RNA sequence: GGAGAGAUGGCCGAGUGGUCGAAGGCGCACGCCUGCUAAGCGUGUGUACCUCAAAAGGGUACCGAGGGUUCGAAUCCCUCUCUCUCCGCCA
């Protein structure tokens, strides 16, 4: 959510930057709602002020034994007037909130203009795609031949877009998560949390998934429970409606969790393998920082995510999302894309974003500097560090051997009982 | 699931219909005093929104949430949420 004052005072600039995202926003409607809301508020508050004053006088009169009948009569008419003045307010407020909650964040000045994913400039590249003296297989073939990925039984138990890991597959998934958590907690300074996988509407509104993107989520029927699509929701909402001491910032958390996405509208996309599932596991990085440091923090957050790929020896590149590809709440995003031989291309494995105060405003996350009376909104950032399933894909595809086995990256072996090869 | 207790400002804790945004204490900030690892004194100390060119000032709302009674509610009534205790069940 944008700051309403900022929005009013910088309307032209905001319009221009939001237009670069590609969507269209009905600004005339905004102007009308904003004006309507303020007029209704002023009128009802004016009436209430008078009523409060008269009520006080009635109290004094009664105490001193005077006759308050005339005043009480006037208050009666005021009550009716207030009722009338307030009647349209809930509906106006609802429209106002709906509008404010549906306006995306303003892209940062350093975000390049572009229409879509093809316009995302590459920032840097690490590692070289491995060369094979055979045709590298996609991970679903590797996994099924090794008997570690089982799609048929997953479909029987749950449905399409689920997987079951067997034996070293399950171990690899678990080892990757443990390795990522160890790196982020011991080397990168993130405090681990383990959150619920189910969240409520308020939390999803706080981080921006709701109200706009309900279709992407699983809802538990008859409850206010949703399956969380990313631990960004849980971890960011850790401090919802709290004011943090400035000395505690930056606050850095990592969390392993399962994530659930309906993948509505992704028919025919990544249908094979485990690239796009209804459930996947991810280690998430979340930061709460002072506004003036948030872009430096975005750089280091991205580097922290990259460190996992470097330790695993997986080639990747980093791209900046252009205005047309930027997510709803993000002011700036770097995507990390890992090299997948099976697809002969780079595939997103992490998305690192600075939300500035967009989420903090929705979620009421503030910070206060000792001695300063006024609190301000923190800036929130998050990024995957990394998506475990896609990392597993990258390991299988990049470390596959001619004989169908897969070499375990050195860094993972301690987490897999010393296993050197999946055969 | 059953029985009971509770939810007040950064914290503790008063407050059962009127001048309560809320006593008092702690903490914190600023100032004064004091020559000694401290104490004392004074003042101030919530948030959101509206109004105002801005500041000052003014206003509205908020005592877990929502509704109701009343001229007037932190105080009375109803519903809900959460926390705690005991029992049951369970991983």
């Amino acid at each position: 959510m944008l700051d309403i004052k900022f929005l009013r005072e910088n309307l032209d600039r905001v319009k221009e930057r939001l237009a670069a995202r590609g969507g269209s926003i009905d600004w005339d409607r905004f102007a009308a709602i904003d004006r309507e809301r303020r007029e209704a508020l002023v009128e009802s508050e004016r009436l209430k002020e008078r009523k409060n004053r008269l009520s006080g006088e009635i109290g004094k009169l009664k105490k001193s034994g005077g006759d308050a009948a005339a005043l009480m009569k006037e208050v009666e008419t005021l009550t009716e007037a207030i009722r009338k003045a307030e009647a349209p307010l809930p509906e106006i407020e609802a429209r106002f909130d709906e509008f404010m909650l549906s306006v995306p964040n303003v892209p940062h000045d350093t975000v390049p203009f572009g229409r879509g994913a093809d316009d995302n400039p590459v920032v840097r590249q690490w590692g070289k795609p491995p060369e094979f003296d055979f045709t590298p297989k996609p991970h679903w073939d590797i996994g099924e031949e090794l008997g570690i990925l089982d799609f048929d039984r997953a479909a029987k138990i749950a449905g399409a877009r689920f997987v079951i890991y067997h034996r070293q597959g399950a171990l690899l998934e678990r080892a990757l998560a443990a390795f990522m958590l160890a790196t982020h907690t011991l080397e990168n300074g993130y405090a681990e949390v383990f959150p619920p996988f189910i969240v409520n509407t308020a939390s999803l509104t706080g981080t921006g998934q709701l109200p706009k993107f309900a279709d992407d989520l699983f809802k538990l029927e008859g409850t206010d429970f949703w399956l969380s699509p990313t631990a960004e929701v849980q971890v960011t909402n850790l401090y919802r409606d709290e004011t943090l001491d400035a000395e505690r910032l930056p606050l850095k958390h990592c969390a392993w969790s399962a994530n659930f996405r309906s993948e509505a509208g992704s028919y025919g996309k990544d249908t094979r393998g485990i690239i796009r599932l209804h459930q996947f596991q991810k280690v998430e990085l979340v930061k709460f920082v002072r506004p003036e440091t948030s872009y430096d923090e975005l750089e280091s957050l991205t580097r922290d995510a990259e460190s996992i790929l470097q330790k695993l020896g997986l080639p990747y590149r980093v791209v900046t999302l252009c205005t047309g590809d930027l997510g709803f709440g993000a002011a700036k995003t770097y995507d990390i894309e890992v090299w997948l031989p099976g697809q002969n291309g780079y595939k997103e494995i992490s998305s690192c974003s600075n939300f500035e105060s967009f989420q903090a405003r929705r979620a009421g996350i503030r910070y206060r500097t000792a001695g300063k009376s006024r609190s301000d909104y923190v800036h929130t950032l998050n990024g995957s560090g990394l998506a475990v399933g896609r990392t597993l894909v990258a390991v299988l595809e990049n470390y596959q051997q001619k004989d169908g086995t897969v070499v375990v990256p050195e860094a993972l072996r301690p987490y897999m009982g010393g296993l050197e090869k999946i055969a």
Side-chain angles (χ1 to χ4, degrees):
Chain A
M1 191 160 58
L2 302 180
D3 178 2
I4 180 66
K5 282 181 193 148
F6 176 84
L7 182 54
R8 283 183 197 129
E9 287 161 17
N10 303 277
L11 194 54
D12 289 337
R13 172 89 187 121
V14 172
K15 281 182 184 176
E16 185 193 320
R17 288 301 285 167
L18 289 185
R21 279 177 168 273
S24 72
I25 293 167
D26 188 345
W27 291 108
D28 291 340
R29 183 155 174 271
F30 165 70
I33 296 173
D34 190 37
R35 190 182 55 244
E36 213 181 328
R37 172 169 169 272
R38 283 202 270 183
E39 284 170 0
L41 279 176
V42 170
E43 174 61 7
S44 83
E45 284 182 8
R46 189 182 64 82
L47 293 167
K48 279 187 202 165
E49 187 272 331
R50 179 152 177 78
K51 178 177 173 177
N52 287 345
R53 193 150 40 81
L54 294 185
S55 287
E57 283 172 26
I58 289 171
K60 275 183 215 152
L61 264 179
K62 288 212 165 174
K63 201 152 251 181
S64 61
D67 179 15
L71 282 180
M72 284 171 71
K73 179 109 184 161
E74 185 175 353
V75 169
E76 233 171 274
T77 66
L78 274 174
T79 302
E80 180 57 23
I82 290 168
R83 207 185 55 75
K84 259 190 186 155
E86 283 192 325
L89 261 173
E91 187 269 335
I92 294 172
E93 293 279 10
R95 272 190 289 143
F96 179 78
D97 291 345
E98 187 211 328
F99 181 88
M100 290 305 289
L101 288 174
S102 68
V103 176
N105 203 356
V106 179
H108 190 248
D109 285 338
T110 58
V111 173
F113 178 85
R115 296 182 156 282
D118 295 339
D119 300 326
N120 297 336
V122 175
V123 179
R124 59 181 167 270
Q125 201 147 346
W126 188 92
K128 275 201 185 98
E131 284 174 24
F132 298 94
D133 54 2
F134 58 95
T135 307
K137 289 184 262 190
H139 67 279
W140 52 84
D141 285 342
I142 303 169
E144 285 192 308
E145 282 163 25
L146 287 170
I148 58 173
L149 296 183
D150 182 353
F151 297 101
D152 295 339
R153 291 198 183 91
K156 174 173 66 179
I157 295 166
R161 290 202 189 282
F162 287 94
V163 72
I164 292 167
Y165 296 125
H166 287 278
R167 296 185 296 278
Q168 293 105 320
L171 175 59
L172 180 55
E173 164 86 17
R174 178 157 54 87
L176 281 167
F179 162 69
M180 291 175 192
L181 287 169
T183 302
H184 293 310
T185 55
L186 301 176
E187 295 178 20
N188 297 335
Y190 293 79
E192 182 174 358
V193 297
F194 181 70
F197 294 171
I198 288 177
V199 295
N200 56 32
T201 300
S203 294
L204 288 161
T205 305
T207 31
Q209 283 77 15
L210 290 179
K212 257 191 137 173
F213 307 103
D215 286 351
D216 298 335
L217 307 170
F218 287 114
K219 174 98 192 267
L220 300 191
E221 212 172 322
T223 69
D224 187 39
F225 290 151
W226 307 72
L227 298 184
S228 175
T230 161
E232 158 194 354
V233 176
Q234 295 96 309
V235 182
T236 305
N237 279 281
L238 268 182
Y239 303 109
R240 171 150 51 87
D241 295 325
E242 293 190 29
T243 301
L244 306 166
D245 287 335
E247 300 87 78
R248 292 179 68 191
L249 304 179
L251 210 50
K252 298 160 67 177
H253 287 296
C254 61
W256 174 87
S257 76
N259 309 274
F260 303 90
R261 299 187 181 177
S262 74
E263 294 300 341
S266 67
Y267 306 109
K269 222 170 157 187
D270 303 317
T271 49
R272 299 205 64 182
I274 63 171
I275 292 292
R276 191 175 298 275
L277 300 177
H278 287 310
Q279 177 194 325
F280 65 97
Q281 286 65 244
K282 179 158 62 66
V283 170
E284 186 74 3
L285 305 175
V286 177
K287 287 186 183 179
F288 304 83
V289 310
R290 299 176 200 231
E292 61 271 22
T293 65
S294 68
Y295 281 92
D296 290 338
E297 295 286 358
L298 175 62
E299 296 300 323
S300 62
L301 179 92
T302 308
R303 297 286 184 181
D304 291 336
E306 287 173 56
S307 73
I308 299 296
L309 290 171
Q310 294 184 8
K311 284 169 179 283
L312 292 174
L314 294 169
Y316 67 88
R317 66 181 188 186
V318 178
V319 304
T320 303
L321 296 196
C322 67
T323 52
D325 202 27
L326 199 60
F328 176 71
K332 182 170 187 174
T333 299
Y334 292 118
D335 268 9
I336 302 174
E337 301 178 333
V338 71
W339 175 256
L340 296 184
Q343 307 209 350
N344 196 38
Y346 287 96
K347 186 76 183 176
E348 175 189 342
I349 197 167
S350 172
S351 200
C352 301
S353 304
N354 183 0
F355 294 83
E356 298 187 356
S357 57
F358 187 85
Q359 294 181 323
R361 190 168 286 109
R362 288 171 163 247
I365 309 169
R366 304 159 206 276
Y367 76 101
R368 191 195 307 279
T369 309
K372 269 189 165 175
S373 66
R374 222 176 154 69
S375 66
D376 200 0
Y377 291 107
V378 300
H379 280 193
T380 60
L381 302 91
N382 68 61
S384 354
L386 306 159
V388 177
R390 289 191 180 181
T391 309
L392 187 142
V393 168
V395 169
L396 292 184
E397 293 193 3
N398 282 281
Y399 284 92
Q400 63 179 302
Q401 307 297 306
K402 196 168 189 171
D403 62 1
T405 62
V406 173
V407 170
V408 176
E410 298 264 4
L412 276 183
R413 293 180 189 172
Y415 299 89
M416 298 182 72
L419 187 71
E420 291 176 12
K421 185 182 265 194
I422 300 174

